[in-house]
Amino acid sequence: MAERRMFSKSITESDAFLDLPFSAQALYFHMAMNADDEGFINSSRRICGMCGAQENDLKILVAKGFMIHFDSGIYVIKGYDENGKPNAMNAAWGGISEETQISICVDDGHKTAKNVVKTGAFTVSIADAENVVACDYVGIVSGNKETDKIEKAGWHATKSEFVDAPLFDELPMALECKLISYDEETCRLVGEIVNVCADEKILDENGKIDLNKFSPITYDPVHHTYRKIGDVVGKAFSDGLKLKEE
């Protein structure tokens, strides 16, 4: 790994970068110095601790586009705009933060963020292999510029019965959420999950989601491809007991 790094003034002296908290700016430089020669980092928490940064600083860098976070599922976030027109975007940083809450990092420049704040509601689907082209499309095209984004994706919207947000018929599962909070500084969107809906075609005989029928995707940063999730490799909270007993 190289011992020296070069930084571009077009980035570090831009308004977007200088508007960041000082702690996030410092973290950016430390991350760059500790990245491998391909720009990847696998010790972000250690680096945060080393320079006194917080997890929110890391999330801000991701949300503002100064870093890219990989290795999580692809979330499709949906909402209505001021005219009742459905819109959707992709997010890579998010997850269940409480038993009935989801937290996602969404930059305030996204049209979807503005829609969610205005309506107080949104739905979240996990992108799947069957819809990979459309899901990729809504992630690379902005609703601020393309008014017919959903129509071009080939999706059909149905209003949720539980929240003021759309569901897309083509995506087989979704979390229906009420907005709890949105912090423009940290770009953290928090929602209360009020309902989970799933198409019967992806359920097993016990009414649970079957990953043999539903193929959620994740992003492979090495090859810049999407990969399916599904194979069982172990039993959670069970396999490790073998070592505990020894």
Side-chain angles (χ1 to χ4, degrees):
M1 186 174 72
E3 294 296 319
R4 299 179 181 180
R5 299 293 182 199
M6 295 182 66
F7 297 92
S8 172
K9 284 187 175 182
S10 64
I11 294 176
T12 60
E13 294 186 2
S14 66
D15 288 343
F17 186 82
L18 295 175
D19 283 342
L20 297 175
F22 290 139
S23 54
Q25 293 183 35
L27 179 60
Y28 175 82
F29 288 110
H30 280 282
M31 287 290 191
M33 291 302 300
N34 285 273
D36 64 23
D37 293 339
E38 300 297 325
F40 291 100
I41 303 166
N42 62 5
S43 56
S44 58
R45 289 184 180 178
R46 177 183 65 81
I47 297 170
C48 282
M50 181 177 68
C51 66
Q54 303 297 317
E55 184 179 357
N56 272 345
D57 293 315
L58 184 59
K59 290 183 177 181
I60 290 171
L61 290 176
V62 172
K64 295 296 183 180
F66 291 102
M67 291 183 63
I68 301 174
H69 173 73
F70 301 121
D71 76 14
S72 67
I74 310 299
Y75 300 98
V76 180
I77 308 168
K78 297 150 285 182
Y80 288 120
D81 67 11
E82 63 277 7
N83 299 312
K85 190 177 183 67
N87 186 51
M89 63 163 284
N90 285 352
W93 193 304
I96 303 301
S97 51
E98 298 288 346
E99 185 175 352
T100 60
Q101 292 182 13
I102 185 170
S103 296
I104 304 173
C105 234
V106 182
D107 186 88
D108 58 4
H110 286 291
K111 184 176 179 64
T112 299
K114 298 180 178 66
N115 293 345
V116 170
V117 171
K118 186 177 292 290
T119 62
F122 60 99
T123 62
V124 181
S125 289
I126 297 177
D128 65 334
E130 185 176 345
N131 293 281
V132 63
V133 174
C135 290
D136 188 54
Y137 170 76
V138 299
I140 60 179
V141 175
S142 172
N144 290 314
K145 298 179 179 179
E146 178 54 73
T147 58
D148 295 326
K149 178 177 175 179
I150 301 306
E151 289 81 353
K152 289 189 175 182
W155 287 346
H156 301 86
T158 300
K159 191 178 186 307
S160 164
E161 296 180 6
F162 296 88
V163 298
D164 186 17
L167 297 165
F168 292 123
D169 301 342
E170 288 73 18
L171 299 176
M173 67 83 59
L175 308 178
E176 298 164 82
C177 308
K178 291 182 179 179
L179 177 65
I180 293 177
S181 64
Y182 179 65
D183 189 324
E184 291 186 2
E185 182 176 346
T186 63
C187 302
R188 186 186 182 207
L189 173 72
V190 182
E192 176 193 1
I193 303 169
V194 298
N195 188 58
V196 179
C197 62
D199 194 303
E200 290 185 357
K201 68 181 182 181
I202 65 169
L203 302 181
D204 62 17
E205 61 275 9
N206 298 314
K208 296 183 178 180
I209 293 176
D210 185 346
L211 290 183
N212 291 316
K213 299 178 179 180
F214 175 46
S215 300
I217 59 175
T218 188
Y219 179 65
D220 175 0
V222 176
H223 301 96
H224 303 293
T225 56
Y226 295 112
R227 291 187 175 274
K228 290 196 300 183
I229 302 171
D231 290 343
V232 176
V233 296
K235 188 71 173 177
F237 309 109
S238 176
D239 289 353
L241 293 176
K242 299 173 185 177
L243 298 179
K244 184 177 180 180
E245 294 168 356
E246 292 181 356

